[in-house]
């Protein structure tokens, strides 16, 4: 493409038409980039070759197609007609927009259960009850955070970029390799202790130490998955896959595919896979109406099984998390079996590397340890359950930072830093306990700057707190116990709403109205 063409000014209408044609468009520093061929972050260094034009003035984001945005191609007749997005309609209405015919069509297509699913259907009164809860949630959120007008949000973005420059100037993106050496030694000690206890016949204690070893190793794999150790895609990917597959039996590729989406659409019930746990948990009342998951590309029906479990989720929350590691196996192996990872580019070999790594894991853990080193089947089952169940605090840590936070969609007008701080909680703890939490207690800071090595996150905290005070965004910081209470309380609130809906349904059945 000629330089003159690359620098041509594109209108929002022209960019809308490109998206309608199926092209992937992003805007960086006023430059319009067509990124259909992007496969890794390193491609950003060569972004100039993908430039197809420029924009003038402030850009207001479209609602992405996957979130229900409707786009017109250049061939459409009414080219001069303004685009009205779902979020613009929300601003025009008092709180929540009414669904248009197009919205209703999307809703119908996205909420059709398969013939084999036993879903719970709702009357108009019950739907109105859920809609009222959504409106109350939006109203409460808007009252607690800065307004969404362009002036306010642009100021937040400008100061967020200054915060990034300050963090960079203080060297907080630079990895502290000595901290990783200490972690490697600590993890090695845990593993060796587990093996020694195994040979001495202390099977239960051995299982506990092995589970703690896995939990500590996950922290390093997390950093590697974010390319936050060496900041080199290939090296960090290799480190992460070596930890995840042969040592832990899991797929880093699956985790990155899921986790990257989580960082983009944090806490959005329809889009964030880390929030979608039906039929066991419903972290928001919107899950009670059988929403469509854009990540899994299928409905998440509120089935009869969910109806029996969700009303008691505040009590079963910790019990369910005891089995969290088994879910990670399932998701990892489905990802590898279906070949859902990259099939070209610098990561195309990752799938085969991870399959080999998983085979190594089940050789040493499944065959050599469980089968050959333990005396009988009951002992093997107990060892398996203890070693996996002791990782439960790690799964609590994952959910703690988000389950009690806002799930409201305030639209594309909300700035990235405000959205991350609104949907993510940090956990307060003394510095000497940082190794227990593994840096995951600084999730809000991590969501603002995912590439910062976690050993530097505590140093970033004072800077982020200052930024929050300056722009007026609440910084959610709770102690571990209080944070758990908030999560259990939030789950209990949704459970209570589920019980109310079920009571209404039973009453209507008795009256012959349902």
């Amino acid at each position: 493409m000629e330089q003159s063409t690359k620098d041509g000014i594109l209108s929002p209408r022209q960019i809308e038409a490109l998206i309608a044609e199926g092209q992937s468009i992003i805007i960086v520093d006023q430059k319009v980039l067509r990124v259909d061929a992007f496969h890794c972050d390193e491609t950003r260094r060569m972004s100039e070759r993908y430039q197809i034009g420029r924009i003038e003035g402030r850009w207001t984001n479209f609602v992405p197609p996957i979130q229900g945005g409707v786009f017109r191609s250049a061939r459409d007749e009414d080219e001069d007609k303004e685009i009205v997005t779902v979020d613009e309609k929300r601003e025009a209405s008092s709180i929540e927009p009414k669904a248009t015919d197009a919205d209703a069509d999307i809703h119908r297509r996205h909420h059709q259960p398969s013939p084999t699913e036993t879903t719970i259907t709702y009357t108009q009164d019950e739907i109105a009850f859920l809609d009222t809860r959504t409106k109350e949630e939006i109203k409460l959120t808007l009252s607690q955070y800065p307004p969404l007008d362009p002036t306010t949000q642009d100021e937040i973005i400008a100061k967020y970029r200054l915060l990034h420059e300050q963090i960079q100037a203080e060297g907080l993106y630079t990895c502290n390799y000595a901290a990783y050496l200490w972690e490697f030694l600590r993890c090695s000690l845990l593993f060796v202790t587990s093996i020694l206890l195994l040979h001495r016949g202390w099977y239960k204690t051995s299982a506990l130490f092995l589970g703690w070893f896995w939990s500590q190793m996950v922290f390093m794999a997390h950093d590697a998955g974010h390319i936050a150790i060496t900041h080199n895609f290939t090296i960090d990917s290799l480190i992460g896959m070596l930890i995840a597959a042969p040592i832990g039996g899991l797929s880093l590729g699956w985790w990155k595919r899921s986790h990257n989406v989580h960082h983009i659409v944090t806490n959005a019930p329809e889009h964030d896979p880390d929030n979608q746990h039906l039929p066991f948990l419903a972290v928001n009342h919107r899950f009670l109406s059988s929403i469509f998951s854009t990540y899994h590309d299928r409905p998440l029906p509120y089935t009869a099984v969910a109806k029996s479990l969700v009303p008691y989720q505040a009590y079963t929350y910790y019990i369910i998390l005891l089995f969290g590691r088994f879910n990670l196996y399932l998701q990892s192996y489905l990802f590898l079996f279906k070949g859902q990872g990259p099939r070209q580019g610098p990561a195309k070999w990752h799938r085969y590397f991870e399959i080999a790594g998983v085979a190594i894991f089940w050789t040493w853990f499944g065959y050599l340890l469980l089968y050959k080193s333990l005396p009988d089947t009951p002992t093997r089952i107990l060892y398996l359950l203890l070693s996996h169940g002791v990782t439960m605090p790690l799964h609590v840590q994952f959910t703690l930072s988000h389950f009690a936070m806002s799930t409201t969609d305030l639209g594309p007008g909300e700035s990235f830093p405000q959205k991350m701080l609104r949907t993510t909680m940090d956990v307060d703890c003394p510095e000497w306990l940082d190794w227990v939490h593994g840096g995951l207690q600084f999730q809000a800071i991590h969501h603002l700057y995912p590439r910062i090595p976690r050993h530097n996150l505590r140093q970033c905290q004072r800077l982020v707190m200052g930024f929050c005070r300056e722009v007026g965004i609440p910084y959610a910081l709770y102690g571990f116990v209080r944070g758990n209470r908030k999560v259990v309380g939030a789950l209990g609130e949704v459970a209570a709403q589920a019980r109310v809906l079920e009571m209404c349904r039973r009453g209507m059945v008795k009256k012959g109205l349902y």
Side-chain angles (χ1 to χ4, degrees):
M1 188 175 288
E2 296 295 330
Q3 184 66 31
S4 58
T5 305
K6 290 174 61 175
D7 287 329
I9 302 299
L10 297 178
S11 68
R13 183 66 188 86
Q14 290 173 304
I15 294 173
E16 181 198 2
L18 294 175
I19 297 173
E21 293 169 4
Q23 299 184 29
S24 298
I25 303 295
I26 66 172
I27 297 173
V28 181
D29 297 330
Q30 301 293 102
K31 298 175 182 177
V32 182
L33 310 182
R34 181 168 53 219
V35 295
D36 302 34
F38 273 32
H39 299 296
C40 66
D41 289 338
E42 291 179 357
T43 312
R44 278 289 304 275
R45 301 173 187 172
M46 302 181 292
S47 63
E48 291 294 331
R49 72 175 62 176
Y50 299 98
Q51 184 179 340
I52 59 173
R54 299 181 67 87
I55 62 167
E56 284 186 323
R58 186 183 189 276
W59 177 260
T60 301
N61 288 335
F62 291 132
V63 177
I66 197 171
Q67 292 181 244
V70 179
F71 296 84
R72 302 163 297 160
S73 70
R75 294 183 296 274
D76 288 350
E77 294 180 3
D78 56 342
E79 291 194 12
D80 294 329
K81 189 176 180 179
E82 268 190 44
I83 307 162
V84 181
T85 67
V86 171
D87 298 278
E88 286 169 341
K89 282 183 276 182
R90 174 177 297 163
E91 291 178 8
S93 66
S94 58
I95 295 176
E96 185 92 59
K98 294 182 179 179
T100 62
D101 291 340
D103 295 331
D105 181 59
I106 292 172
H107 179 87
R108 283 191 294 272
R109 286 187 284 110
H110 284 185
H111 291 71
Q112 289 297 320
S114 70
T116 60
E117 291 171 338
T118 305
T119 59
I120 305 301
T121 56
Y122 292 101
T123 65
Q124 289 300 316
D125 288 342
E126 291 169 325
I127 293 173
F129 170 78
L130 295 174
D131 285 346
T132 299
R133 289 292 302 121
T134 299
K135 292 177 181 180
E136 292 172 352
E137 188 179 75
I138 292 172
K139 184 182 294 185
L140 178 63
T141 302
L142 291 173
S143 70
Q144 293 175 333
Y145 289 86
L148 302 180
D149 62 275
T151 301
T152 301
Q153 294 301 312
D154 284 352
E155 182 180 357
I156 292 173
I157 292 171
K159 291 181 178 177
Y160 172 64
R161 289 172 176 167
L162 290 175
L163 175 62
H164 158 70
E165 293 175 4
Q166 188 176 2
I167 289 173
Q168 199 165 34
E170 294 193 15
L172 297 178
Y173 280 102
T174 304
C175 182
N176 179 5
Y177 292 109
Y180 282 104
L181 176 61
W182 164 240
E183 288 209 5
F184 176 78
L185 293 174
R186 183 172 65 244
C187 291
S188 298
L189 179 62
L190 289 171
F191 183 75
V192 170
T193 301
S194 174
I195 299 302
L196 290 175
L197 291 169
L198 176 72
H199 285 293
R200 290 181 64 88
W202 292 28
Y203 301 130
K204 297 176 185 176
T205 313
S206 170
L208 295 178
F209 273 87
L210 182 60
W212 291 332
F213 162 73
W214 281 330
S215 294
Q216 288 293 308
M217 292 298 290
V218 162
F219 300 142
M220 281 193 279
H222 178 268
D223 274 8
H226 279 289
I227 322 297
I229 300 178
T230 68
H231 300 301
N232 178 282
F233 175 78
T234 300
I235 296 175
D236 279 5
S237 295
L238 190 58
I239 292 172
M241 288 189 295
L242 284 171
I243 294 171
I247 294 177
L250 304 173
S251 166
L252 185 77
W254 160 75
W255 178 83
K256 290 175 71 172
R257 179 175 184 260
S258 169
H259 197 69
N260 287 345
V261 173
H262 162 69
H263 269 263
I264 296 169
V265 287
T266 307
N267 255 25
E270 298 85 358
H271 312 296
D272 184 355
D274 284 11
N275 263 12
Q276 299 171 351
H277 302 291
L278 285 176
F280 302 103
L281 298 170
V283 301
N284 183 268
H285 67 275
R286 303 215 293 276
F287 287 103
L288 305 181
S289 60
S290 300
I291 65 174
F292 183 87
S293 167
T294 57
Y295 177 80
H296 296 291
D297 195 27
R298 61 177 175 81
L300 298 177
Y302 189 64
T303 62
V305 175
K307 185 188 73 170
S308 65
L309 294 177
V310 169
Y312 308 100
Q313 63 183 5
Y315 305 101
T316 60
Y317 167 61
Y318 295 108
I319 297 173
I320 290 170
L321 294 187
L322 282 170
F323 301 92
R325 189 171 179 85
F326 294 102
N327 177 57
L328 300 186
Y329 288 141
L330 175 63
Q331 300 301 327
S332 293
Y333 303 155
L334 286 174
F335 170 82
L336 294 174
F337 176 76
K338 294 179 179 180
Q340 294 176 328
R343 300 193 178 187
Q344 54 183 320
K348 63 181 180 182
W349 56 277
H350 289 186
R351 179 191 182 196
Y352 308 102
F353 185 89
E354 292 197 300
I355 290 174
V358 168
I360 292 172
F361 170 79
W362 286 109
T363 299
W364 76 260
F365 175 69
Y367 178 71
L368 295 177
L369 196 158
L370 286 182
Y371 182 73
K372 296 290 289 184
S373 302
L374 298 176
D376 51 50
T377 299
T379 305
R380 294 182 186 113
I381 294 174
L382 181 61
Y383 194 100
L384 179 70
L385 293 177
L386 280 176
S387 62
H388 287 55
V390 77
T391 64
M392 186 264 280
L394 179 66
H395 300 286
V396 172
Q397 186 78 63
F398 288 147
T399 60
L400 183 61
S401 296
H402 299 292
F403 274 16
M405 298 302 291
S406 172
T407 59
T408 304
D409 178 15
L410 297 183
E414 183 180 32
S415 63
F416 173 80
Q418 178 167 314
K419 181 178 181 179
M420 293 302 104
L421 290 163
R422 178 173 61 81
T423 56
T424 313
M425 174 201 304
D426 273 357
V427 177
D428 195 20
C429 75
E431 188 171 354
W432 63 271
L433 266 181
D434 282 355
W435 69 274
V436 174
H437 294 277
L440 298 182
Q441 76 272 33
F442 299 115
Q443 277 289 296
I445 303 170
H446 168 66
H447 270 254
L448 290 174
Y449 302 103
R451 289 290 182 88
I452 296 177
R454 59 193 163 85
H455 302 105
N456 297 337
L457 291 175
R458 180 172 285 278
Q459 293 173 262
C460 291
Q461 188 178 49
R462 61 178 175 81
L463 302 178
V464 171
M465 292 176 75
F467 163 77
C468 289
R469 286 192 297 269
E470 191 173 356
V471 299
I473 298 177
Y475 175 49
L477 179 65
Y478 298 93
F480 187 75
V481 174
R482 189 181 173 202
N484 272 268
R485 286 176 181 165
K486 283 187 66 67
V487 168
V488 173
L491 292 174
E493 185 178 346
V494 177
Q497 292 162 5
R499 290 194 296 270
V500 168
L501 287 174
E502 183 58 22
M503 288 173 60
C504 292
R505 183 179 299 107
R506 290 177 180 175
M508 295 175 72
V509 168
K510 288 182 180 179
K511 295 178 181 179
L513 301 175
Y514 188 81

